[in-house]
């Protein structure tokens, strides 16, 4: 069952989402060759708690970490390790936080040092597909409209879409209705309603869409070992249109990137 939120609840959810956005911005300055994802995890936990929130992933479904850090062929759910990041790696940093009783859940795939051009393009197309999907999250549309937009952009550019893992509703629970696949057919699936809040998160692969789980019981990797990219935003349906609760602004400020990609989805 979809759980719509009123404007006061959406404002509280924005606070939760921004805790995560600021955490990703802080981590952006730390991600470089030689740093371990264990180190990033400790930094993130301390930073989240200092903002008056608590880590959203830690302990959820017995998750042992604050972050899920997925390197190169890891799609999502990668557990932090003591292995240093290397020049040319990419790492999806997925982070959750609870504040005011609501979850924020937000992810960005970072480049580590000098990344291969084909991998950079994968990241660009995945992030573009995220915003194309968000644009379809509007009154009158359905779940399939978002998935179709993401899938079409990814596949038109020669990439594949992971099917087994999806976005989701978000609120007082990390996972609420509806599921938000990154593939689909226009006009199919649950209809969007005013006040609903979701996490939209394309997971796009350079090679095959097939995946497998590692023996740690968490990390999901591509079956062919080729890179995967993952970007995620929290979005509310306000006055019939998508409104971002999270932002990449803090990441871009840390990395010296100028972007207007979020402008059409900002609170007016």
């Amino acid at each position: 069952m979809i759980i719509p939120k009123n404007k006061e609840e959406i404002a509280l959810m924005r606070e939760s989402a921004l805790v995560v956005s600021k955490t990703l911005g802080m981590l952006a300055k730390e991600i470089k060759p030689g740093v371990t994802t264990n180190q990033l995890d400790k930094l993130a936990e301390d930073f989240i708690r200092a903002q008056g929130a608590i880590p959203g992933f830690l302990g959820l479904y017995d998750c042992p970490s604050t972050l899920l850090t997925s390197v190169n062929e890891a799609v999502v759910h990668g557990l932090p390790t003591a292995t240093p990041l290397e020049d040319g790696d990419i790492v999806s940093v997925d982070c959750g936080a609870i504040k005011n009783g609501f979850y924020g859940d937000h992810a960005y795939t970072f480049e580590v040092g000098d990344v291969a051009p084909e991998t950079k393009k994968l990241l660009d197309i995945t992030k573009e597909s995220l915003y194309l999907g968000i644009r379809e999250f509007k009154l009158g549309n359905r779940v399939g409209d978002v998935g179709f937009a993401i899938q079409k952009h990814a596949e038109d550019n020669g990439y594949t879409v992971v099917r087994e893992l999806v976005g989701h509703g978000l609120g007082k629970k990390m996972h609420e209705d509806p599921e938000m696949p990154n593939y689909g057919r226009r006009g199919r699936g649950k209809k969007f309603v005013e006040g609903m809040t979701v996490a939209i998160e394309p997971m796009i692969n350079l090679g095959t869409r097939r995946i497998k789980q590692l023996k740690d019981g968490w990390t999901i990797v591509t079956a062919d070992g080729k890179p995967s990219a993952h970007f995620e935003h929290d979005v509310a349906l306000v006055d019939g249109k998508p409104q971002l609760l999270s932002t990449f602004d803090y990441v871009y400020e840390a990395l010296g990137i100028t972007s207007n990609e979020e402008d059409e989805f900002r609170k007016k």
Side-chain angles (χ1 to χ4, degrees), residues 69-71 74-79 212-221:
T69 51
S70 305
V71 181
V75 180
V76 287
H77 301 169
L79 296 181
K212 59 184 180 181
Q213 188 174 59
L214 298 186
K215 291 180 180 179
D216 63 14
W218 281 88
T219 309
I220 303 293
V221 299

Side-chain angles (χ1 to χ4, degrees), residues 59-254:
L60 182 69
Y61 311 126
D62 295 324
C63 180
S65 56
T66 293
L67 299 177
L68 294 171
T69 51
S70 305
V71 181
N72 296 332
E73 74 274 12
V75 180
V76 287
H77 301 169
L79 296 181
T81 72
T83 303
L85 295 171
E86 297 183 1
D87 186 65
D89 285 345
I90 57 172
V91 55
S92 161
V93 179
D94 195 356
C95 181
I98 308 170
K99 190 172 184 179
N100 307 312
F102 288 98
Y103 277 90
D105 177 22
H106 185 25
Y108 191 91
T109 300
F110 293 91
E111 300 176 19
V112 183
D114 189 18
V115 171
E118 67 174 7
T119 305
K120 282 178 176 283
K121 185 180 177 185
L122 170 67
L123 267 58
D124 289 343
I125 296 300
T126 303
K127 185 147 61 68
E128 288 171 10
S129 76
L130 169 63
Y131 289 108
L132 289 170
I134 291 171
R135 194 172 292 142
E136 297 300 318
F137 180 60
K138 58 188 177 182
L139 213 56
N141 275 6
R142 295 177 180 269
V143 166
D145 294 299
V146 171
F148 177 85
I150 292 170
Q151 179 183 11
K152 185 176 190 306
H153 191 61
E155 293 180 351
D156 283 353
N157 282 278
Y159 303 115
T160 61
V161 178
V162 173
R163 304 296 182 96
E164 296 86 347
L165 303 158
V166 299
H168 50 90
L170 186 71
K172 290 187 175 180
K173 294 182 178 180
M174 174 66 76
H175 296 105
E176 295 184 352
D177 281 342
E179 289 191 343
M180 297 288 293
N182 298 303
Y183 62 95
R185 297 176 63 184
R186 288 199 178 280
R188 298 294 181 90
K190 291 188 177 181
K191 199 169 187 178
F192 299 139
V193 299
E194 181 72 14
M196 67 185 294
T197 48
V198 298
I200 298 175
E201 49 177 324
M203 290 157 269
I204 309 299
N205 296 346
L206 184 63
T208 180
R209 71 174 178 84
R210 292 186 298 111
I211 59 174
K212 59 184 180 181
Q213 188 174 59
L214 298 186
K215 291 180 180 179
D216 63 14
W218 281 88
T219 309
I220 303 293
V221 299
T222 58
D224 58 7
K226 292 184 178 180
S228 181
H230 172 222
F231 292 88
E232 178 179 20
H233 266 313
D234 300 341
V235 194
L237 189 55
V238 179
D239 298 327
K241 298 177 181 178
Q243 189 178 105
L244 282 180
L245 304 178
S246 54
T247 180
F248 291 146
D249 282 355
Y250 299 101
V251 169
Y252 293 160
E253 181 180 357

Side-chain angles (χ1 to χ4, degrees), residues 41-60:
D41 190 64
K42 180 63 167 66
L43 288 170
E45 179 177 357
D46 291 347
F47 189 82
I48 289 169
R49 294 190 189 281
Q51 293 185 81
I54 60 174
F57 293 171
L58 186 61
L60 182 69

